[in-house]
Amino acid sequence: MYKVIDGKALAAKMREDIKQKVQASGKNIGLAVVLVGDDPASQVYVRNKIKACGEVGIKSYAYRLDKDATQASVEELVKSLAEDNNVHGILVQLPMPPHIDSKKVLSHIPCKKDVDGFCAENIGKLCMNEDCLVACTPNGVMQMLASEGIELKGKNAVVVGRSNIVGKPMAMLLTNADATVTVCHSKTADLKQVCLNADVLVAAIGKAKFITADMVKEGAVVIDVGMDRDENGKLCGDVDFENVKEKCSYISPVPGGVGPMTITMLMYNTYLAAVRS
Ligand code: GUN
């Protein structure tokens, strides 16, 4: 029998705790959120991030720039936020329009305000298992595993996807937790066989229902990071939930799984950035 990991409920509980921490800090904590262009998914994510700030008592500063905004204008905005003492965290929503060099934009975010955990210093510290701001989605996954008391030491963990935002930091967190980690991607030979070896399988591919029941070991823990649309345009994950669930000990759904936890960890990182400033 499988158990569904309820990310929404865990997120609500953690947000209550973060709200208390924010209050107890006695600080006016601020998060700047920058959105360039009109990507519909990004608009939804940004709206949810701003809403979460309100829930936990963090002041949000939203900057919505036109899709034709110049490289210089985006860079100038981020540089000014870097100097702004009311802003403890800076989040630049990705992807940005193709004419924008996002790497250059992100380079202006000081590491102590890098609440996404994307900068080289934070990634390097994570790699060395040192205290740092950890990328929100993988950190949310770790909280979900911990909330169920899922043991990682000595387990085979397979991460499907090698993005800088999810796959790579996820692999480091699992490694730091003493799992034996394999990272798979589009060029992996015999992906199915590798996945079948997973005690813990994290799907971060970006393809609807890509992980099918024949790829999952009996009793595995399956965490779905995907945010995709199925053939009817309905929101779904990277895992074929209905067919995979019967093989699992634990499985996270989409929606209501990792998504709410990503935003919760962003709130937590903003709190950490503020109390450390
Ligand atoms: N786009 C998709 N996920 C993320 C995220 O975690 N952070 C930012 N900044 N952009 C994203």
Side-chain angles (χ1 to χ4, degrees):
M1 195 49 200
Y2 64 91
K3 180 170 182 204
V4 175
I5 305 179
D6 186 345
K8 202 172 161 191
L10 179 61
K13 195 169 135 227
M14 288 190 69
R15 284 182 202 189
E16 198 47 53
D17 184 49
I18 295 166
K19 184 180 172 182
Q20 306 291 332
K21 284 187 158 75
V22 167
Q23 235 164 32
S25 77
K27 289 192 150 201
N28 267 326
I29 301 180
L31 173 68
V33 181
V34 178
L35 173 63
V36 186
D38 45 20
D39 179 73
S42 292
Q43 283 175 333
V44 175
Y45 295 148
V46 163
R47 204 179 313 130
N48 288 338
K49 287 170 185 178
I50 289 166
K51 191 168 148 244
C53 284
E55 276 176 44
V56 302
I58 289 176
K59 184 160 174 46
S60 59
Y61 302 87
Y63 298 87
R64 292 183 171 83
L65 277 64
D66 192 78
K67 65 177 187 313
D68 299 320
T70 63
Q71 177 77 30
S73 68
V74 185
E75 285 189 44
E76 281 314 310
L77 171 61
V78 175
K79 279 189 204 169
S80 73
L81 296 170
E83 298 292 320
D84 187 338
N85 289 333
N86 293 316
V87 169
H88 301 95
I90 304 172
L91 180 130
V92 177
Q93 188 64 28
L94 301 175
M96 284 198 274
H99 70 281
I100 300 285
D101 179 347
S102 37
K103 209 169 152 186
K104 226 170 149 202
V105 172
L106 297 180
S107 75
H108 299 300
I109 302 177
C111 284
K112 63 182 188 358
K113 294 191 181 187
D114 170 36
V115 285
D116 259 324
F118 288 171
C119 77
E121 185 179 318
N122 280 321
I123 290 283
K125 284 185 172 170
L126 180 62
C127 188
M128 296 164 80
N129 202 4
E130 287 176 18
D131 192 40
C132 62
L133 292 170
V134 179
C136 301
T137 298
N139 204 6
V141 171
M142 295 305 282
Q143 300 301 321
M144 290 167 79
L145 295 170
S147 76
E148 298 292 343
I150 294 165
E151 174 74 81
L152 293 168
K153 192 193 290 184
K155 296 287 170 66
N156 289 332
V158 173
V159 180
V160 190
R162 58 173 159 180
S163 69
N164 292 337
I165 295 183
V166 182
K168 286 179 196 168
M170 187 77 249
M172 287 185 225
L173 284 166
L174 290 164
T175 304
N176 292 345
D178 294 330
T180 303
V181 182
T182 308
V183 181
C184 300
H185 46 78
S186 56
K187 310 288 188 298
T188 297
D190 209 350
L191 179 69
K192 177 180 160 182
Q193 214 50 48
V194 182
C195 289
L196 275 171
N197 192 37
D199 301 311
V200 178
L201 181 63
V202 180
I205 310 131
K207 285 187 183 161
K209 302 182 185 179
F210 182 86
I211 301 291
T212 47
D214 60 328
M215 300 166 82
V216 176
K217 178 159 105 174
E218 203 65 52
V221 176
V222 174
I223 305 290
D224 191 346
V225 177
M227 282 285 222
D228 315 305
R229 298 272 164 190
D230 71 8
E231 56 283 3
N232 303 313
K234 199 173 149 224
L235 185 65
C236 70
D238 289 351
V239 177
D240 180 8
F241 183 89
E242 282 309 315
N243 294 310
V244 167
K245 65 184 183 188
E246 299 296 344
K247 297 189 92 173
C248 300
S249 53
Y250 294 89
I251 184 166
S252 76
V254 177
V258 175
M261 284 304 295
T262 294
I263 298 180
T264 302
M265 299 324 291
L266 173 67
M267 297 301 110
Y268 183 63
N269 278 352
T270 306
Y271 159 76
L272 277 186
V275 294
R276 289 171 180 181
S277 66

